[in-house]
Amino acid sequence: MPAISHPNWTALPRIPEPALPGIDRPVVTLTTAPSLLEGAGFPVRRPFPGREIGFRQADPFLLLDHMGAVEYAPGEPKGAPWHPHRGFETVTYIIDGAMQHRDSQGGGGLISNGSTQWMTAGAGILHDEMPPEELVKTGGLFHGFQLWVNLPSDLKRTPPRYQSLEASQVTLATSARADALLRVIAGDLGGIKGPGITWIPVTVIHASLEPGAQVRLPWPSQWNALAYVLSGSGTVGPSHVLIHEGQGVELGTGDVLSIGASPNPDGSSRTLEILLLGGQPIREPIATYGPFVMNTHDEIVQAFEDYQAGRMGTVPAQTLERRDR
Ligand code: MN
Protein backbone atom coordinates (compact mmCIF):
# COMPACT_ATOMS: atom_id res chain seq x y z
CA MET A 1 0.00 0.00 0.00
CA PRO A 2 1.91 3.09 -1.16
CA ALA A 3 -0.01 5.72 0.81
CA ILE A 4 2.46 8.04 2.49
CA SER A 5 4.35 6.39 5.35
CA HIS A 6 7.49 6.94 7.43
CA PRO A 7 10.46 4.58 7.93
CA ASN A 8 10.61 5.22 11.67
CA TRP A 9 7.26 5.69 13.36
CA THR A 10 8.92 6.35 16.75
CA ALA A 11 10.40 9.58 15.34
CA LEU A 12 6.94 11.03 14.66
CA PRO A 13 4.90 13.20 17.02
CA ARG A 14 2.63 11.11 19.24
CA ILE A 15 -1.00 11.66 20.12
CA PRO A 16 -1.13 11.11 23.89
CA GLU A 17 -3.85 8.79 25.19
CA PRO A 18 -6.81 10.69 26.63
CA ALA A 19 -6.68 11.04 30.42
CA LEU A 20 -8.79 8.58 32.43
CA PRO A 21 -11.67 8.41 32.94
CA GLY A 22 -12.66 9.03 29.34
CA ILE A 23 -15.92 7.91 27.85
CA ASP A 24 -15.09 5.34 25.21
CA ARG A 25 -17.54 5.73 22.32
CA PRO A 26 -19.54 2.52 21.82
CA VAL A 27 -20.45 1.05 18.44
CA VAL A 28 -24.12 1.88 17.84
CA THR A 29 -24.35 0.74 14.22
CA LEU A 30 -22.32 -1.71 12.15
CA THR A 31 -22.84 -1.89 8.41
CA THR A 32 -21.39 -4.02 5.64
CA ALA A 33 -21.06 -1.74 2.64
CA PRO A 34 -23.07 -2.86 -0.38
CA SER A 35 -21.31 -2.96 -3.75
CA LEU A 36 -22.57 -0.93 -6.69
CA LEU A 37 -21.39 0.67 -9.91
CA GLU A 38 -20.67 4.41 -10.00
CA GLY A 39 -19.81 6.87 -12.80
CA ALA A 40 -19.25 5.14 -16.14
CA GLY A 41 -19.39 1.79 -14.34
CA PHE A 42 -16.59 1.43 -11.80
CA PRO A 43 -17.19 -0.71 -8.72
CA VAL A 44 -17.51 0.91 -5.29
CA ARG A 45 -18.55 -0.16 -1.81
CA ARG A 46 -20.77 2.45 -0.15
CA PRO A 47 -21.06 2.20 3.67
CA PHE A 48 -23.18 5.36 3.77
CA PRO A 49 -25.71 6.70 3.12
CA GLY A 50 -27.61 3.47 3.56
CA ARG A 51 -30.19 1.71 5.64
CA GLU A 52 -27.98 1.47 8.74
CA ILE A 53 -25.99 4.71 8.54
CA GLY A 54 -28.25 7.41 7.09
CA PHE A 55 -27.75 11.14 6.56
CA ARG A 56 -28.55 11.86 10.22
CA GLN A 57 -25.85 9.54 11.55
CA ALA A 58 -23.26 10.55 8.93
CA ASP A 59 -23.84 14.31 9.38
CA PRO A 60 -21.75 16.37 8.43
CA PHE A 61 -20.67 13.69 5.92
CA LEU A 62 -22.99 12.62 3.13
CA LEU A 63 -21.45 9.71 1.31
CA LEU A 64 -18.43 7.42 1.29
CA ASP A 65 -17.42 5.39 -1.76
CA HIS A 66 -14.60 2.87 -1.27
CA MET A 67 -13.06 2.33 -4.70
CA GLY A 68 -11.30 -1.06 -4.94
CA ALA A 69 -8.90 -2.37 -4.04
CA VAL A 70 -9.24 -3.83 -7.53
CA GLU A 71 -6.73 -5.24 -9.98
CA TYR A 72 -7.91 -3.87 -13.32
CA ALA A 73 -7.29 -5.69 -16.60
CA PRO A 74 -6.08 -3.53 -19.53
CA GLY A 75 -8.94 -1.39 -20.88
CA GLU A 76 -11.04 -1.98 -17.79
CA PRO A 77 -10.51 1.17 -15.66
CA LYS A 78 -13.44 3.57 -15.85
CA GLY A 79 -14.16 6.94 -14.28
CA ALA A 80 -16.88 9.54 -13.99
CA PRO A 81 -16.87 11.81 -17.08
CA TRP A 82 -17.95 15.48 -16.91
CA HIS A 83 -20.81 16.07 -14.46
CA PRO A 84 -21.88 18.87 -12.10
CA HIS A 85 -22.04 19.24 -8.31
CA ARG A 86 -23.57 21.85 -6.02
CA GLY A 87 -23.98 22.32 -2.28
CA PHE A 88 -21.15 20.23 -0.81
CA GLU A 89 -17.51 19.11 -1.16
CA THR A 90 -15.95 16.03 -2.76
CA VAL A 91 -12.79 14.61 -1.21
CA THR A 92 -10.87 12.08 -3.30
CA TYR A 93 -8.00 10.10 -1.77
CA ILE A 94 -6.03 7.61 -3.85
CA ILE A 95 -3.89 4.93 -2.19
CA ASP A 96 -2.92 2.79 -5.23
CA GLY A 97 -3.11 3.71 -8.88
CA ALA A 98 -4.17 7.19 -9.98
CA MET A 99 -7.11 9.38 -10.90
CA GLN A 100 -6.92 12.29 -13.34
CA HIS A 101 -9.13 15.13 -12.24
CA ARG A 102 -10.10 18.35 -14.01
CA ASP A 103 -12.83 20.89 -13.45
CA SER A 104 -14.61 23.72 -15.26
CA GLN A 105 -12.65 26.34 -13.29
CA GLY A 106 -9.27 25.08 -14.51
CA GLY A 107 -8.50 23.14 -11.34
CA GLY A 108 -7.32 19.57 -11.34
CA GLY A 109 -4.35 17.26 -11.32
CA LEU A 110 -3.21 13.69 -10.94
CA ILE A 111 -4.28 12.15 -7.63
CA SER A 112 -2.08 9.20 -6.62
CA ASN A 113 -0.06 7.45 -3.92
CA GLY A 114 -1.70 9.00 -0.89
CA SER A 115 -2.56 12.42 -2.24
CA THR A 116 -5.95 14.04 -1.86
CA GLN A 117 -8.04 16.39 -3.93
CA TRP A 118 -10.46 18.41 -1.81
CA MET A 119 -12.98 20.13 -4.07
CA THR A 120 -15.57 22.53 -2.73
CA ALA A 121 -18.35 22.42 -5.32
CA GLY A 122 -20.25 25.14 -3.45
CA ALA A 123 -22.36 27.21 -5.86
CA GLY A 124 -21.63 24.81 -8.70
CA ILE A 125 -18.86 23.25 -10.74
CA LEU A 126 -18.41 20.64 -13.45
CA HIS A 127 -15.70 18.05 -13.11
CA ASP A 128 -14.25 15.01 -14.83
CA GLU A 129 -12.80 12.15 -12.78
CA MET A 130 -11.02 9.63 -14.99
CA PRO A 131 -8.26 7.04 -14.74
CA PRO A 132 -5.14 8.30 -16.56
CA GLU A 133 -4.56 6.85 -20.04
CA GLU A 134 -1.57 4.78 -18.87
CA LEU A 135 -3.73 3.02 -16.28
CA VAL A 136 -6.46 2.33 -18.86
CA LYS A 137 -3.83 0.92 -21.25
CA THR A 138 -1.96 -1.32 -18.85
CA GLY A 139 -4.56 -1.99 -16.16
CA GLY A 140 -3.27 -2.43 -12.62
CA LEU A 141 -4.03 -1.96 -8.97
CA PHE A 142 -6.49 0.78 -8.02
CA HIS A 143 -7.56 1.71 -4.48
CA GLY A 144 -8.96 4.85 -2.90
CA PHE A 145 -12.08 6.53 -1.61
CA GLN A 146 -14.30 9.49 -2.28
CA LEU A 147 -15.99 11.24 0.62
CA TRP A 148 -18.74 13.87 0.34
CA VAL A 149 -18.75 16.55 3.02
CA ASN A 150 -21.90 18.62 3.41
CA LEU A 151 -22.01 22.42 3.61
CA PRO A 152 -24.39 24.38 5.85
CA SER A 153 -27.12 26.41 4.09
CA ASP A 154 -25.16 29.68 4.29
CA LEU A 155 -22.17 28.08 2.51
CA LYS A 156 -23.95 26.04 -0.16
CA ARG A 157 -23.47 28.90 -2.65
CA THR A 158 -19.86 29.63 -1.72
CA PRO A 159 -17.57 29.99 -4.77
CA PRO A 160 -15.98 26.67 -5.83
CA ARG A 161 -12.51 25.94 -4.40
CA TYR A 162 -9.89 23.35 -5.20
CA GLN A 163 -7.24 22.07 -2.79
CA SER A 164 -4.58 19.72 -4.04
CA LEU A 165 -3.16 18.01 -0.95
CA GLU A 166 0.01 16.17 -1.91
CA ALA A 167 0.97 13.01 -0.05
CA SER A 168 4.09 14.78 1.27
CA GLN A 169 1.90 17.44 2.90
CA VAL A 170 -0.16 14.95 4.91
CA THR A 171 0.56 15.33 8.62
CA LEU A 172 1.98 12.10 10.07
CA ALA A 173 1.67 11.20 13.74
CA THR A 174 1.49 8.02 15.78
CA SER A 175 -0.46 6.60 18.65
CA ALA A 176 0.97 6.90 22.17
CA ARG A 177 2.85 3.58 21.79
CA ALA A 178 3.85 4.28 18.16
CA ASP A 179 1.99 1.15 17.02
CA ALA A 180 -0.32 3.05 14.66
CA LEU A 181 0.50 5.51 11.91
CA LEU A 182 -2.06 8.32 11.77
CA ARG A 183 -2.26 10.29 8.53
CA VAL A 184 -4.16 13.47 9.31
CA ILE A 185 -5.47 14.63 5.93
CA ALA A 186 -7.66 17.41 7.30
CA GLY A 187 -8.81 18.72 10.65
CA ASP A 188 -7.36 18.20 14.07
CA LEU A 189 -6.46 15.17 16.17
CA GLY A 190 -5.28 15.94 19.70
CA GLY A 191 -3.81 19.26 18.56
CA ILE A 192 -2.11 17.78 15.43
CA LYS A 193 -3.50 19.46 12.33
CA GLY A 194 -3.84 18.17 8.79
CA PRO A 195 -3.23 20.26 5.65
CA GLY A 196 -6.82 20.28 4.36
CA ILE A 197 -8.74 23.50 4.95
CA THR A 198 -12.35 22.75 5.82
CA TRP A 199 -15.41 25.02 5.92
CA ILE A 200 -16.79 23.37 9.03
CA PRO A 201 -14.88 21.40 11.70
CA VAL A 202 -14.15 18.03 10.07
CA THR A 203 -11.35 15.53 10.68
CA VAL A 204 -10.30 12.91 8.12
CA ILE A 205 -7.67 10.33 9.10
CA HIS A 206 -6.25 7.26 7.36
CA ALA A 207 -4.76 5.08 10.11
CA SER A 208 -2.56 1.97 9.78
CA LEU A 209 -2.40 -0.23 12.88
CA GLU A 210 0.28 -2.86 13.46
CA PRO A 211 -1.05 -6.34 14.31
CA GLY A 212 -2.21 -6.34 17.94
CA ALA A 213 -2.08 -2.53 18.30
CA GLN A 214 -4.59 -1.03 20.76
CA VAL A 215 -5.16 2.67 20.21
CA ARG A 216 -7.11 5.24 22.21
CA LEU A 217 -7.56 8.63 20.58
CA PRO A 218 -9.14 11.86 21.82
CA TRP A 219 -12.34 12.70 19.94
CA PRO A 220 -14.39 15.85 20.65
CA SER A 221 -17.66 14.87 22.34
CA GLN A 222 -19.75 17.25 20.19
CA TRP A 223 -18.59 15.53 16.97
CA ASN A 224 -19.97 12.48 15.30
CA ALA A 225 -17.60 9.54 14.81
CA LEU A 226 -17.46 7.04 11.95
CA ALA A 227 -14.89 4.40 11.09
CA TYR A 228 -14.56 2.31 7.93
CA VAL A 229 -12.14 -0.57 7.27
CA LEU A 230 -10.21 -0.25 3.99
CA SER A 231 -8.40 -3.54 4.60
CA GLY A 232 -7.54 -5.94 7.39
CA SER A 233 -9.56 -6.57 10.52
CA GLY A 234 -9.80 -5.49 14.13
CA THR A 235 -12.12 -4.23 16.84
CA VAL A 236 -13.79 -0.92 17.68
CA GLY A 237 -15.22 0.52 20.90
CA PRO A 238 -15.22 -0.59 24.55
CA SER A 239 -16.89 -3.94 23.84
CA HIS A 240 -14.42 -4.75 21.06
CA VAL A 241 -16.89 -5.15 18.20
CA LEU A 242 -15.24 -7.14 15.40
CA ILE A 243 -14.90 -5.29 12.12
CA HIS A 244 -13.30 -6.23 8.81
CA GLU A 245 -12.69 -4.90 5.30
CA GLY A 246 -15.76 -3.26 3.79
CA GLN A 247 -17.47 -2.66 7.13
CA GLY A 248 -18.25 0.69 8.70
CA VAL A 249 -19.41 1.74 12.16
CA GLU A 250 -21.16 4.69 13.70
CA LEU A 251 -19.99 5.39 17.22
CA GLY A 252 -22.13 6.76 20.03
CA THR A 253 -21.44 9.53 22.50
CA GLY A 254 -18.17 9.91 24.36
CA ASP A 255 -14.79 11.59 24.02
CA VAL A 256 -12.48 8.65 23.20
CA LEU A 257 -12.16 6.55 20.07
CA SER A 258 -10.68 3.11 20.66
CA ILE A 259 -9.52 0.77 17.91
CA GLY A 260 -7.64 -2.50 17.97
CA ALA A 261 -5.95 -4.41 15.15
CA SER A 262 -6.20 -8.19 14.88
CA PRO A 263 -3.11 -9.78 16.45
CA ASN A 264 -2.99 -12.54 13.82
CA PRO A 265 -4.16 -11.01 10.59
CA ASP A 266 -5.23 -13.25 7.74
CA GLY A 267 -6.02 -12.13 4.23
CA SER A 268 -4.07 -9.70 2.10
CA SER A 269 -3.37 -6.98 4.62
CA ARG A 270 -0.99 -7.34 7.56
CA THR A 271 -2.00 -4.00 9.03
CA LEU A 272 -5.49 -2.72 9.81
CA GLU A 273 -6.12 0.12 7.34
CA ILE A 274 -8.97 2.19 8.74
CA LEU A 275 -10.55 5.50 7.88
CA LEU A 276 -11.60 7.68 10.85
CA LEU A 277 -14.11 10.47 10.25
CA GLY A 278 -15.56 13.05 12.57
CA GLY A 279 -17.12 16.46 12.42
CA GLN A 280 -19.54 18.97 13.77
CA PRO A 281 -23.04 17.91 12.67
CA ILE A 282 -24.86 20.52 10.56
CA ARG A 283 -28.40 19.36 11.52
CA GLU A 284 -30.23 20.92 8.58
CA PRO A 285 -32.75 19.34 6.22
CA ILE A 286 -31.21 17.52 3.26
CA ALA A 287 -32.74 17.53 -0.22
CA THR A 288 -30.66 15.59 -2.69
CA TYR A 289 -30.90 14.42 -6.23
CA GLY A 290 -27.92 12.87 -8.03
CA PRO A 291 -25.01 15.30 -7.95
CA PHE A 292 -26.75 18.07 -5.98
CA VAL A 293 -27.22 18.29 -2.21
CA MET A 294 -29.32 21.20 -0.98
CA ASN A 295 -31.81 21.94 1.83
CA THR A 296 -35.09 22.06 -0.11
CA HIS A 297 -36.71 20.54 -3.18
CA ASP A 298 -37.00 23.99 -4.78
CA GLU A 299 -33.24 24.42 -4.51
CA ILE A 300 -32.76 21.09 -6.32
CA VAL A 301 -35.05 22.23 -9.15
CA GLN A 302 -33.06 25.49 -9.28
CA ALA A 303 -29.79 23.51 -9.42
CA PHE A 304 -30.98 21.57 -12.49
CA GLU A 305 -32.05 24.81 -14.18
CA ASP A 306 -28.74 26.50 -13.39
CA TYR A 307 -26.78 23.47 -14.63
CA GLN A 308 -28.74 23.30 -17.89
CA ALA A 309 -28.32 27.04 -18.43
CA GLY A 310 -24.53 26.69 -18.02
CA ARG A 311 -24.49 28.69 -14.79
CA MET A 312 -22.31 26.06 -13.08
CA GLY A 313 -19.67 26.38 -15.78
CA THR A 314 -19.07 24.58 -19.04
CA VAL A 315 -16.81 21.78 -20.16
CA PRO A 316 -13.48 23.28 -21.29
CA ALA A 317 -13.38 23.16 -25.13
CA GLN A 318 -9.94 21.52 -25.33
CA THR A 319 -11.15 18.52 -23.34
CA LEU A 320 -14.44 17.95 -25.19
CA GLU A 321 -13.00 15.32 -27.54
CA ARG A 322 -12.21 13.09 -24.54
CA ARG A 323 -15.93 12.46 -24.06
CA ASP A 324 -16.17 10.50 -27.29
CA ARG A 325 -13.50 7.97 -26.46
MN1 MN B 1 -18.14 13.94 -9.06
Side-chain angles (χ1 to χ4, degrees):
M1 207 176 268
I4 189 79
S5 190
H6 193 279
N8 180 14
W9 290 7
T10 60
L12 294 169
R14 299 187 190 198
I15 311 281
E17 288 212 352
L20 292 166
I23 302 170
D24 204 342
R25 286 173 176 253
V27 170
V28 292
T29 310
L30 172 77
T31 184
T32 300
S35 298
L36 56 139
L37 295 177
E38 190 41 80
F42 61 89
V44 301
R45 282 178 278 187
R46 183 172 293 170
F48 62 85
R51 204 152 35 93
E52 287 98 357
I53 302 177
F55 286 133
R56 192 175 56 81
Q57 291 82 15
D59 189 6
F61 304 103
L62 294 162
L63 173 148
L64 179 64
D65 273 352
H66 181 198
M67 307 180 284
V70 56
E71 185 74 41
Y72 279 128
E76 206 177 29
K78 292 184 184 69
W82 289 99
H83 59 278
H85 289 296
R86 172 181 278 179
F88 63 102
E89 305 183 282
T90 66
V91 178
T92 311
Y93 178 74
I94 302 296
I95 299 167
D96 295 289
M99 180 93 99
Q100 183 75 50
H101 181 261
R102 57 189 87 196
D103 68 43
S104 51
Q105 301 237 330
L110 190 71
I111 318 164
S112 67
N113 297 325
S115 59
T116 303
Q117 175 253 307
W118 195 296
M119 187 187 81
T120 305
I125 197 165
L126 271 59
H127 74 166
D128 176 68
E129 309 164 274
M130 300 298 282
E133 274 176 47
E134 309 84 73
L135 183 66
V136 178
K137 215 174 289 170
T138 60
L141 184 60
F142 181 76
H143 191 201
F145 67 78
Q146 185 169 93
L147 174 71
W148 290 12
V149 184
N150 203 4
L151 290 169
S153 53
D154 59 344
L155 287 169
K156 283 193 180 291
R157 298 296 194 102
T158 196
R161 183 171 76 183
Y162 186 96
Q163 296 176 67
S164 181
L165 309 173
E166 299 304 322
S168 58
Q169 293 174 263
V170 171
T171 307
L172 300 180
T174 70
S175 53
R177 283 183 290 276
D179 49 6
L181 178 67
L182 304 159
R183 300 172 189 84
V184 186
I185 297 163
D188 182 295
L189 178 70
I192 304 266
K193 288 179 173 49
I197 300 164
T198 69
W199 282 107
I200 54 165
V202 161
T203 289
V204 177
I205 294 161
H206 168 196
S208 301
L209 275 70
E210 287 290 336
Q214 291 289 335
V215 174
R216 294 178 75 246
L217 299 170
W219 209 258
S221 55
Q222 70 276 19
W223 286 11
N224 78 333
L226 302 166
Y228 176 79
V229 178
L230 296 164
S231 66
S233 60
T235 60
V236 187
S239 35
H240 306 281
V241 173
L242 288 168
I243 185 171
H244 60 73
E245 178 177 329
Q247 290 188 314
V249 290
E250 176 211 354
L251 294 136
T253 52
D255 54 13
V256 178
L257 211 63
S258 65
I259 310 147
S262 294
N264 301 301
D266 48 4
S268 60
S269 183
R270 198 179 73 86
T271 52
L272 169 66
E273 301 294 326
I274 191 164
L275 180 62
L276 307 175
L277 305 171
Q280 180 77 54
I282 294 170
R283 294 198 181 95
E284 288 180 359
I286 290 175
T288 178
Y289 192 88
F292 308 127
V293 183
M294 304 302 288
N295 299 113
T296 68
H297 175 73
D298 286 355
E299 289 171 331
I300 292 292
V301 173
Q302 184 68 51
F304 272 98
E305 283 176 19
D306 288 347
Y307 166 52
Q308 270 148 17
R311 287 191 286 268
M312 291 188 189
T314 49
V315 176
Q318 68 272 24
T319 66
L320 265 174
E321 77 278 7
R322 291 188 72 235
R323 305 173 93 184
D324 302 325
R325 288 197 189 154

